[in-house]
Short mmCIF file of all heavy atoms in Angstrom, two decimals:
data_model
loop_
_atom_site.label_atom_id
_atom_site.label_comp_id
_atom_site.label_asym_id
_atom_site.label_seq_id
_atom_site.Cartn_x
_atom_site.Cartn_y
_atom_site.Cartn_z
N LYS A 270 -26.29 -28.94 21.47
CA LYS A 270 -27.17 -28.09 20.66
C LYS A 270 -26.47 -27.77 19.36
O LYS A 270 -25.22 -27.96 19.25
CB LYS A 270 -27.49 -26.83 21.44
CG LYS A 270 -28.24 -27.08 22.75
CD LYS A 270 -28.49 -25.77 23.49
CE LYS A 270 -29.24 -26.03 24.82
NZ LYS A 270 -29.46 -24.78 25.57
N PRO A 271 -27.19 -27.23 18.36
CA PRO A 271 -26.56 -26.98 17.07
C PRO A 271 -25.34 -26.05 17.17
O PRO A 271 -24.33 -26.29 16.50
CB PRO A 271 -27.68 -26.31 16.26
CG PRO A 271 -28.94 -26.93 16.84
CD PRO A 271 -28.67 -27.12 18.31
N ARG A 272 -25.43 -24.98 17.98
CA ARG A 272 -24.30 -24.06 18.06
C ARG A 272 -23.09 -24.67 18.74
O ARG A 272 -22.00 -24.14 18.66
CB ARG A 272 -24.72 -22.79 18.80
CG ARG A 272 -25.01 -22.96 20.24
CD ARG A 272 -25.30 -21.62 20.91
NE ARG A 272 -25.45 -21.77 22.35
CZ ARG A 272 -25.57 -20.73 23.16
NH1 ARG A 272 -25.56 -19.51 22.68
NH2 ARG A 272 -25.70 -20.90 24.46
N GLU A 273 -23.30 -25.81 19.50
CA GLU A 273 -22.20 -26.45 20.18
C GLU A 273 -21.55 -27.53 19.36
O GLU A 273 -20.57 -28.16 19.81
CB GLU A 273 -22.74 -27.05 21.50
CG GLU A 273 -23.26 -26.02 22.49
CD GLU A 273 -24.00 -26.66 23.64
OE1 GLU A 273 -24.34 -27.87 23.56
OE2 GLU A 273 -24.28 -25.93 24.60
N ARG A 274 -22.03 -27.75 18.16
CA ARG A 274 -21.48 -28.82 17.33
C ARG A 274 -20.45 -28.23 16.35
O ARG A 274 -20.62 -27.09 15.87
CB ARG A 274 -22.60 -29.55 16.56
CG ARG A 274 -23.67 -30.08 17.51
CD ARG A 274 -24.61 -31.00 16.77
NE ARG A 274 -25.67 -31.49 17.68
CZ ARG A 274 -26.39 -32.57 17.46
NH1 ARG A 274 -26.21 -33.25 16.37
NH2 ARG A 274 -27.29 -32.93 18.35
N SER A 275 -19.47 -29.04 16.01
CA SER A 275 -18.44 -28.56 15.07
C SER A 275 -19.06 -28.42 13.69
O SER A 275 -20.13 -29.00 13.37
CB SER A 275 -17.26 -29.52 15.06
OG SER A 275 -17.68 -30.77 14.50
N THR A 276 -18.38 -27.70 12.83
CA THR A 276 -18.88 -27.48 11.48
C THR A 276 -18.92 -28.81 10.70
O THR A 276 -19.90 -29.07 9.91
CB THR A 276 -17.97 -26.50 10.76
OG1 THR A 276 -17.88 -25.28 11.49
CG2 THR A 276 -18.52 -26.19 9.36
N MET A 277 -17.99 -29.68 10.93
CA MET A 277 -18.04 -31.00 10.25
C MET A 277 -19.22 -31.82 10.74
O MET A 277 -19.84 -32.56 9.95
CB MET A 277 -16.72 -31.77 10.54
CG MET A 277 -15.49 -31.18 9.85
SD MET A 277 -15.75 -31.02 8.07
CE MET A 277 -15.95 -32.73 7.58
N GLU A 278 -19.59 -31.69 12.01
CA GLU A 278 -20.77 -32.43 12.48
C GLU A 278 -22.04 -31.87 11.91
O GLU A 278 -23.04 -32.58 11.73
CB GLU A 278 -20.81 -32.32 14.04
CG GLU A 278 -19.74 -33.14 14.72
CD GLU A 278 -19.76 -32.93 16.23
OE1 GLU A 278 -20.29 -31.89 16.70
OE2 GLU A 278 -19.20 -33.78 16.95
N LEU A 279 -22.06 -30.59 11.59
CA LEU A 279 -23.20 -29.99 10.91
C LEU A 279 -23.30 -30.43 9.46
O LEU A 279 -24.40 -30.66 8.94
CB LEU A 279 -23.20 -28.49 11.02
CG LEU A 279 -23.29 -27.87 12.41
CD1 LEU A 279 -23.17 -26.34 12.33
CD2 LEU A 279 -24.63 -28.25 13.07
N LEU A 280 -22.14 -30.56 8.82
CA LEU A 280 -22.12 -31.02 7.41
C LEU A 280 -22.49 -32.51 7.34
O LEU A 280 -23.17 -32.91 6.41
CB LEU A 280 -20.73 -30.79 6.82
CG LEU A 280 -20.37 -29.33 6.48
CD1 LEU A 280 -18.87 -29.25 6.14
CD2 LEU A 280 -21.21 -28.84 5.35
N HIS A 281 -22.03 -33.31 8.29
CA HIS A 281 -22.27 -34.75 8.30
C HIS A 281 -22.82 -35.12 9.68
O HIS A 281 -22.06 -35.53 10.56
CB HIS A 281 -20.99 -35.53 7.99
CG HIS A 281 -20.32 -35.05 6.72
ND1 HIS A 281 -20.79 -35.34 5.45
CD2 HIS A 281 -19.19 -34.31 6.53
CE1 HIS A 281 -19.99 -34.83 4.57
NE2 HIS A 281 -19.03 -34.18 5.17
N PRO A 282 -24.13 -34.97 9.92
CA PRO A 282 -24.69 -35.24 11.24
C PRO A 282 -24.44 -36.63 11.76
O PRO A 282 -24.26 -36.83 12.96
CB PRO A 282 -26.19 -34.98 11.03
CG PRO A 282 -26.26 -34.10 9.84
CD PRO A 282 -25.12 -34.49 8.95
N GLY A 283 -24.40 -37.61 10.89
CA GLY A 283 -24.02 -38.97 11.31
C GLY A 283 -25.19 -39.76 11.87
O GLY A 283 -26.00 -40.30 11.13
N ASP A 284 -25.32 -39.83 13.20
CA ASP A 284 -26.28 -40.68 13.87
C ASP A 284 -27.72 -40.31 13.48
O ASP A 284 -28.17 -39.22 13.82
CB ASP A 284 -26.09 -40.59 15.36
CG ASP A 284 -26.97 -41.56 16.10
OD1 ASP A 284 -27.62 -42.39 15.47
OD2 ASP A 284 -27.01 -41.52 17.36
N PRO A 285 -28.44 -41.20 12.78
CA PRO A 285 -29.81 -40.86 12.39
C PRO A 285 -30.77 -40.83 13.59
O PRO A 285 -31.86 -40.31 13.47
CB PRO A 285 -30.20 -41.96 11.41
CG PRO A 285 -29.29 -43.12 11.77
CD PRO A 285 -28.02 -42.49 12.28
N GLU A 286 -30.34 -41.43 14.73
CA GLU A 286 -31.20 -41.45 15.92
C GLU A 286 -31.03 -40.19 16.77
O GLU A 286 -31.69 -40.06 17.79
CB GLU A 286 -30.91 -42.72 16.77
CG GLU A 286 -31.22 -44.00 16.03
CD GLU A 286 -32.67 -44.07 15.61
OE1 GLU A 286 -33.54 -43.65 16.41
OE2 GLU A 286 -32.95 -44.60 14.53
N ASP A 287 -30.09 -39.36 16.37
CA ASP A 287 -29.88 -38.10 17.12
C ASP A 287 -31.16 -37.28 17.12
O ASP A 287 -31.87 -37.18 16.13
CB ASP A 287 -28.75 -37.30 16.50
CG ASP A 287 -28.40 -36.07 17.29
OD1 ASP A 287 -29.15 -35.08 17.15
OD2 ASP A 287 -27.43 -36.07 18.02
N TYR A 288 -31.48 -36.68 18.31
CA TYR A 288 -32.72 -35.95 18.43
C TYR A 288 -32.84 -34.82 17.40
O TYR A 288 -33.87 -34.64 16.74
CB TYR A 288 -32.84 -35.36 19.83
CG TYR A 288 -34.00 -34.41 20.01
CD1 TYR A 288 -35.31 -34.87 20.16
CD2 TYR A 288 -33.82 -33.01 19.99
CE1 TYR A 288 -36.39 -33.98 20.33
CE2 TYR A 288 -34.86 -32.15 20.13
CZ TYR A 288 -36.14 -32.63 20.31
OH TYR A 288 -37.19 -31.73 20.44
N PHE A 289 -31.76 -34.03 17.24
CA PHE A 289 -31.82 -32.90 16.33
C PHE A 289 -31.87 -33.38 14.88
O PHE A 289 -32.49 -32.71 14.03
CB PHE A 289 -30.59 -31.98 16.55
CG PHE A 289 -30.73 -31.12 17.78
CD1 PHE A 289 -30.09 -31.47 18.93
CD2 PHE A 289 -31.51 -29.97 17.76
CE1 PHE A 289 -30.22 -30.70 20.10
CE2 PHE A 289 -31.62 -29.18 18.89
CZ PHE A 289 -30.98 -29.54 20.06
N VAL A 290 -31.24 -34.47 14.57
CA VAL A 290 -31.26 -35.01 13.19
C VAL A 290 -32.66 -35.47 12.84
O VAL A 290 -33.15 -35.27 11.73
CB VAL A 290 -30.24 -36.16 13.06
CG1 VAL A 290 -30.35 -36.80 11.67
CG2 VAL A 290 -28.81 -35.65 13.26
#
Side-chain angles (χ1 to χ4, degrees):
K270 298 178 181 178
R272 68 175 186 173
E273 297 168 347
R274 305 190 180 200
S275 67
T276 305
M277 291 304 299
E278 290 175 340
L279 295 178
L280 286 170
H281 308 286
D284 186 6
E286 298 300 322
D287 184 281
Y288 171 79
F289 285 99
V290 175

